[in-house]
Amino acid sequence: KGYTALRGPAGQPQTALETIVKLSDRLTQSTLISDRRAAVLGLKGLTRDCKADVGQHALDALLALLDTDARDDVESGRAILETLALLCQVDSKEGGKIPRDDLGLKHSDVALASPAPTHALLALLPDNNFYLRLHSLQLLSIWLTNRPHVVQQHFQQAPDGPSAIDQLLTDHRDIIRAETLNTLQLLVAGNPPVQTSIAFAGAFEKLLNIIGSEGGVDGGSTVFEALSAIENLLRHNVGTQKFFRDLEFTSHLPALLLFPSPPPPPDHPVPQEFSLQFWNAQKIANAGAVISICQMLIAGKGDVNQAPDLGGLARCLVELALASNAPTALKTKALKALPPDPPLLNLITCYIPVPETNGEEWDRLPPEPAIGVLVAYALDGDFGMPGSVEVVGPIARRGSLELRAAALSTFEAFVTNDLNARLYILGEMASPTPLPAGSEVTRLPFRILVRALADVPQSPMTPESAHRHQIASLLFTSLIRGSEKCKTLARSIIPNTVAPLAPAANFVEAATLASEKHPANDEDEDPPQALLSALLGNLAMAMRSRSISRERGERDMRDWDRVIVGYLILLSAWAWDSPIAVKDILEEGGIMTVLMEPVSQSSGIDVLVQGLCAFVLGACYEFNREPGEITRATLQPIFHKRIGADTFVSRMARLREDARFKTVTPDTFVVDVVVDDSGLPGHTGPLVIGESATDGEGEIWMDWGFVEFWKENYYTIQKSITNDPNSITAEAGGNIDTAAIITNLKSTISTQQSEIDRLQARLAQLTKEREEERESLNAQITSLSERLSELSGEVEAEKEKKKEVEKEQEDLLVLLEELNTKRRKDKERMREKGMDVSEDEEEEEGDDEDEDEDEEEE
């Protein structure tokens, strides 16, 4: 009967449009669910070839059936969901671009014009039927992909939306679980209210259970999807982050990375099972997702020392980054996730791979402070192997450089706002504390940095050597920037005066070489140089070597430029607002010529070198306040004659416009290697953003701390050369000593203000209590006064009553007296007449007379 009804008159075949119209009519007019199911299946078959017609004539009817047939009949519901999914599916064109007039988008707009279809679809999710639940999730995912904000708005209005999603997370069927995790990520993306509602419905606990049941980071892609869902629930949402911490879910994160829970004491090493693990691509991805979650929680909490729930998390990241065989990319991510004040003074135990074992055997090294290992990482990179994942070529070199940059950033963040830490490290560099007898620590951690600073750069200069010299300069710059105390202590550092040593294969060998005891100087030798003099000599040697390389046409000019830039960044920070350091620099023979020559050159020199040389010269002029042979009056005519004010300003302006300066961010300062027309990496002119870069190659020129320092102070130096030599120099900003004094004063003021506020609050409280007591006493006085008035009235009344009673008594006594008198008279008359009078009566009379006498006496 159904087929006959679809045939045309006299059995003539119908067009597809006619068939679609008849099937669409049957959806709304047929009373049998089986007929409607057959119509849906027919429309489903026609959707692939006639998507526009089916959407035009049947979409509204199909949406209406979501709330009726889809609930009552599983087969009908499956067919309806599959047909709607085909209608709303977007057909991407070449290049992945989706045209605005795509039919899938139009049909999705129709379906989402009102909340009813979305709510009907959410109502189908609790149904435990596999196909109904699967196709419901797929359709919801399609709508979220096409119009995420509209679906999220409808979801917020659904009464059972969060509970439905939470119920899906307990489904153990792999396909349903995978589709649920994918839909959940789309649903919560960029929408804090949806994130909050789903998180508060219990999603965190369910997701952590999924991760645990799948084996933690050793699990498969399901673990990664679950971790990504947790990350999306926490992203940019303070409420869910606080909820996650309040329920102590943070304690699960180190355990996911196989870190012991509870963590061992700070003076105990972590188990080898955590430090040495087997890594594959999926495990690396899973661990990276865990670290991303840790980073969000740490960044949202602030001071980790005030957050006990995150203390173990910070130590876990330190151990993973510095004392494990984790891949380089994972170590980099762990370093970037650390808080500004990580536990870097604790001892950690590192491991190094045994040669020719392909990373299968590892030697345990003596414990040392984590800060020392961090410095070694920054200088020499990762000493381990990238696990079981083979990474070679430019990508591996870029990854190693990213790790060194992350170590540099971590070190800078650790010492920037902690003057005591800076003074401690500089003190150890100047005069190391002897190791106690029997100590497990066998080397002095900061001598490697002194060695790297003092080593004379050698030709030919390789990229690795260049980065080592440059990063050493940047590390030391972060120790002295903005603090005269630190600069004074740094001037007392005397590096070992020995011949340069060959580059070490790893940080262990480099540290051993740096910590060797060198013989004392002979009497004929010159006294040892201070570190500042050694750095100035290294700068002059690097400038000379760079000129020789340029004359010979060698390929290491770029590497020499990086070394020179590192030295100049260090000198610019050391000379800033430090007259004593400026005096030492000016008295160093020939250094002024070394600095002025690049500035005056019109070509053949890197713009960064020119700009930094101009900055150092300007700082020496601006802060030349100590008496000496070279004064401001001596310097100004030399600058104007050999450089000129316009050239001086131009050199620093070009540095600000260079791509290597502009592309530095707080997150990373590893920039792409730009290739010039000759095919060599880099050129001497300004780099423009957009030039071609070599695949995977990277380089470091400066860090974010220097970029901030330059932006704050370059204008002062630009105009300094035009200032009169006798004028008073402007006060320099960025002095950490002054900042510390200001901070202490602010802290004192804040403490005093807090005490004043507390006392004022106490005074207000006491005043309120006294006012309440006064009101209470007044009320009591009023009450007592009223009571007194009442009692006074009662007393007066009693007195009146008493007077009346006394008057009555007197009247009665008078009456009694009259009666007694009359009685006596009657008895006398009776006696006179000879009548008998009883003795009782006489006694009574006597008694009465006695009483009368008594009364009269009274």
Side-chain angles (χ1 to χ4, degrees):
K1 180 178 179 182
Y3 175 74
T4 303
L6 291 176
R7 291 187 306 171
Q12 294 179 0
Q14 297 185 91
T15 63
L17 178 58
E18 293 174 341
T19 304
I20 291 171
V21 172
K22 287 193 175 185
L23 290 174
S24 301
D25 292 340
R26 179 166 294 184
L27 291 179
T28 57
Q29 297 176 5
S30 178
T31 58
L32 297 177
I33 193 171
S34 58
D35 288 348
R36 295 195 295 272
R37 184 194 313 128
V40 173
L41 291 172
L43 290 170
K44 175 186 171 184
L46 292 169
T47 299
R48 301 184 186 277
D49 298 326
C50 307
K51 188 173 182 178
D53 294 332
V54 174
Q56 180 180 357
H57 295 282
L59 181 57
D60 291 336
L62 289 169
L63 293 172
L65 293 178
L66 272 178
D67 201 25
T68 55
D69 289 4
R71 286 188 177 186
D72 300 334
D73 182 63
V74 172
E75 293 300 326
S76 296
R78 177 181 177 183
I80 293 168
L81 292 170
E82 290 177 342
T83 306
L84 288 173
L86 291 172
L87 289 173
C88 297
Q89 187 69 47
V90 172
D91 299 325
S92 59
K93 304 297 182 182
E94 295 182 1
K97 295 183 178 180
I98 302 173
R100 293 184 178 180
D101 58 349
D102 185 87
L103 288 174
L105 295 178
K106 289 184 177 181
H107 294 159
S108 298
D109 291 335
V110 174
L112 299 173
S114 68
T118 304
H119 293 175
L121 184 60
L122 293 172
L124 296 175
L125 293 177
D127 194 299
N128 199 41
N129 182 270
F130 175 81
Y131 291 105
L132 196 63
R133 180 171 285 185
L134 174 63
H135 292 300
S136 298
L137 285 169
Q138 289 176 343
L139 180 58
L140 183 59
S141 178
I142 291 172
W143 285 352
L144 283 167
T145 303
N146 294 345
R147 295 289 185 259
H149 300 296
V150 180
V151 178
Q152 290 170 344
Q153 184 177 0
H154 294 340
F155 180 83
Q156 296 178 55
Q157 301 171 0
D160 301 325
S163 60
I165 298 297
D166 184 66
Q167 184 177 349
L168 290 175
L169 293 174
T170 59
D171 197 317
H172 297 286
R173 291 170 289 191
D174 293 339
I175 298 178
I176 299 295
R177 176 179 288 177
E179 197 66 38
T180 300
L181 294 175
N182 177 62
T183 305
L184 177 59
Q185 295 181 58
L186 294 173
L187 183 60
V188 302
N191 193 299
V194 176
Q195 292 172 341
T196 303
S197 62
I198 293 180
F200 280 48
F204 285 137
E205 183 177 0
K206 306 293 191 309
L207 291 169
L208 289 172
N209 290 337
I210 292 174
I211 295 169
S213 64
E214 293 290 328
V217 292
D218 289 316
S221 59
T222 302
V223 172
F224 180 77
E225 295 297 331
L227 289 168
S228 299
I230 294 177
E231 183 179 356
N232 286 335
L233 286 170
L234 296 173
R235 187 174 300 280
H236 306 309
N237 193 317
V238 178
T240 57
Q241 292 177 13
K242 185 177 184 302
F243 180 71
F244 193 90
R245 287 191 293 263
D246 290 345
L247 293 185
E248 299 182 352
F249 289 139
T250 51
S251 60
H252 293 73
L253 298 178
L256 293 179
L257 296 170
L258 304 185
F259 192 75
S261 180
D267 56 344
H268 285 65
V270 300
Q272 184 174 323
E273 291 75 13
F274 169 78
S275 301
L276 302 179
Q277 303 183 40
F278 292 99
W279 297 94
N280 54 44
Q282 186 61 59
K283 184 174 181 178
I284 294 172
N286 294 342
V290 175
I291 295 174
S292 296
I293 296 172
C294 297
Q295 186 173 10
M296 280 191 293
L297 294 172
I298 290 175
K301 188 66 177 181
D303 187 3
V304 175
N305 296 325
Q306 303 299 325
D309 57 328
L310 298 181
L313 206 58
R315 185 183 178 190
C316 171
L317 294 175
V318 169
E319 295 281 353
L320 181 68
L322 303 178
S324 75
N325 69 333
T328 300
L330 209 58
K331 291 184 176 183
T332 303
K333 198 163 190 175
L335 285 176
K336 291 182 178 180
L338 286 174
D341 52 350
L344 294 178
L345 299 180
N346 296 337
L347 294 179
I348 61 174
T349 301
C350 300
Y351 298 83
I352 186 171
V354 177
E356 300 180 358
T357 61
N358 196 26
E360 295 181 0
E361 298 182 13
W362 295 72
D363 283 337
R364 181 176 177 177
L365 300 177
E368 65 174 301
I371 186 69
V373 181
L374 184 70
V375 171
Y377 266 44
L379 292 175
D380 299 304
D382 188 5
F383 58 90
M385 299 179 65
S388 60
V389 181
E390 290 294 332
V391 182
V392 296
I395 296 178
R397 293 194 294 271
R398 176 67 176 256
S400 177
L401 198 58
E402 290 282 2
L403 175 63
R404 298 167 74 177
L408 173 58
S409 296
T410 303
F411 182 85
E412 183 176 353
F414 180 72
V415 302
T416 294
N417 296 318
D418 192 344
L419 182 60
N420 292 329
R422 297 162 75 171
L423 294 174
Y424 164 74
I425 295 173
L426 289 168
E428 288 295 310
M429 294 175 68
S431 179
T433 303
L435 296 174
S439 173
E440 291 185 298
V441 182
T442 59
R443 72 182 183 94
L444 303 173
F446 301 114
R447 296 305 295 174
I448 183 177
L449 179 56
V450 178
R451 189 70 192 182
L453 290 167
D455 280 346
V456 178
Q458 301 292 311
S459 294
M461 179 58 63
T462 63
E464 286 300 319
S465 297
H467 280 125
R468 192 173 196 272
H469 288 288
Q470 184 186 24
I471 291 175
S473 299
L474 296 176
L475 286 170
F476 196 74
T477 301
S478 63
L479 289 172
I480 65 172
R481 182 184 292 129
S483 173
E484 187 60 30
K485 289 183 180 179
C486 294
K487 293 173 185 177
T488 302
L489 188 56
R491 293 175 63 246
S492 66
I493 297 176
I494 308 295
N496 296 322
T497 55
V498 296
L501 299 173
N506 52 60
F507 91 94
V508 180
E509 182 180 345
T512 304
L513 295 176
S515 59
E516 288 179 348
K517 293 183 178 180
H518 302 286
N521 296 328
D522 296 335
E523 294 181 359
D524 297 338
E525 294 183 357
D526 296 331
Q529 278 185 318
L531 180 61
L532 180 56
S533 298
L535 290 172
L536 293 172
N538 289 351
L539 174 61
M541 179 64 70
M543 289 283 195
R544 181 173 178 275
S545 299
R546 199 264 183 197
S547 300
I548 295 173
S549 294
R550 181 172 179 268
E551 292 173 0
R552 296 176 179 177
E554 296 176 354
R555 300 173 60 92
D556 61 351
M557 286 190 301
R558 185 77 162 183
D559 299 320
W560 281 113
D561 286 337
R562 281 204 300 273
V563 175
I564 294 169
V565 166
Y567 287 139
L568 291 173
I569 288 175
L570 174 53
L571 290 177
S572 66
W574 206 329
W576 184 262
D577 198 22
S578 181
I580 299 177
V582 168
K583 180 181 179 182
D584 292 343
I585 293 173
L586 294 176
E587 291 180 352
E588 190 72 24
I591 193 63
M592 297 305 296
T593 303
V594 172
L595 293 172
M596 284 191 290
E597 184 176 352
V599 181
S600 60
Q601 284 183 335
S602 58
S603 63
I605 193 73
D606 195 303
V607 295
L608 295 185
V609 175
Q610 288 183 315
L612 285 168
C613 284
F615 188 90
V616 174
L617 289 171
C620 289
Y621 178 80
E622 179 72 14
F623 301 107
N624 186 11
R625 305 170 187 168
E626 291 290 326
E629 296 180 2
I630 303 177
T631 62
R632 288 163 59 92
T634 307
L635 290 176
Q636 190 183 52
I638 298 176
F639 289 167
H640 280 278
K641 181 178 180 181
R642 296 193 56 180
I643 300 175
D646 294 340
T647 303
F648 187 82
V649 172
S650 173
R651 296 297 185 245
M652 284 192 285
R654 292 182 68 188
L655 187 149
R656 275 184 58 85
E657 297 174 358
D658 192 88
R660 292 165 291 180
F661 182 89
K662 290 182 177 180
T663 52
V664 173
T665 66
D667 297 326
T668 181
F669 39 86
V670 178
V671 299
D672 293 330
V673 177
V674 181
V675 179
D676 62 6
D677 296 335
S678 65
L680 297 178
H683 47 65
T684 57
L687 300 182
V688 181
I689 298 176
E691 291 185 288
S692 61
T694 56
D695 294 337
E697 293 285 358
E699 57 187 359
I700 295 176
W701 287 93
M702 60 195 72
D703 60 354
W704 179 250
F706 169 74
V707 172
E708 286 189 314
F709 170 77
W710 178 275
K711 290 179 178 179
E712 290 176 0
N713 303 310
Y714 86 99
Y715 182 72
T716 301
I717 300 302
Q718 268 190 337
K719 65 179 183 179
S720 64
I721 195 174
T722 60
N723 293 337
D724 186 85
N726 299 320
S727 63
I728 300 176
T729 59
E731 289 294 328
N735 191 302
I736 193 172
D737 301 326
T738 305
I741 295 173
I742 294 173
T743 301
N744 291 333
L745 291 175
K746 288 183 177 179
S747 177
T748 303
I749 293 172
S750 177
T751 303
Q752 293 176 347
Q753 185 62 42
S754 300
E755 183 66 16
I756 292 172
D757 294 340
R758 187 185 67 80
L759 293 175
Q760 287 179 343
R762 179 60 178 166
L763 178 61
Q765 181 181 0
L766 292 174
T767 303
K768 182 179 179 181
E769 292 176 355
R770 297 297 177 270
E771 186 66 23
E772 291 176 353
E773 291 179 1
R774 187 178 66 80
E775 293 178 357
S776 176
L777 291 174
N778 289 337
Q780 292 179 7
I781 291 172
T782 302
S783 175
L784 292 175
S785 298
E786 294 176 353
R787 181 60 179 165
L788 180 60
S789 299
E790 293 177 0
L791 293 176
S792 298
E794 292 177 358
V795 170
E796 292 295 329
E798 291 297 328
K799 286 181 178 180
E800 293 295 330
K801 289 182 180 179
K802 184 178 179 181
K803 289 179 179 180
E804 293 178 357
V805 170
E806 289 177 351
K807 185 178 180 181
E808 290 178 356
Q809 288 179 348
E810 290 177 357
D811 294 342
L812 291 174
L813 289 174
V814 171
L815 179 61
L816 180 62
E817 182 63 26
E818 292 176 351
L819 291 175
N820 289 334
T821 303
K822 184 176 182 299
R823 183 179 179 188
R824 284 194 296 270
K825 291 179 178 181
D826 291 342
K827 285 183 178 182
E828 290 177 356
R829 283 196 298 270
M830 291 173 65
R831 286 189 188 99
E832 291 176 356
K833 294 180 178 182
M835 296 178 69
D836 294 332
V837 179
S838 63
E839 295 180 357
D840 294 337
E841 291 179 350
E842 293 179 355
E843 291 177 359
E844 289 178 357
E845 290 178 358
D847 293 338
D848 292 339
E849 290 177 355
D850 293 337
E851 290 177 0
D852 293 339
E853 293 177 357
D854 293 338
E855 289 178 356
E856 291 178 356
E857 291 177 359
E858 292 177 359

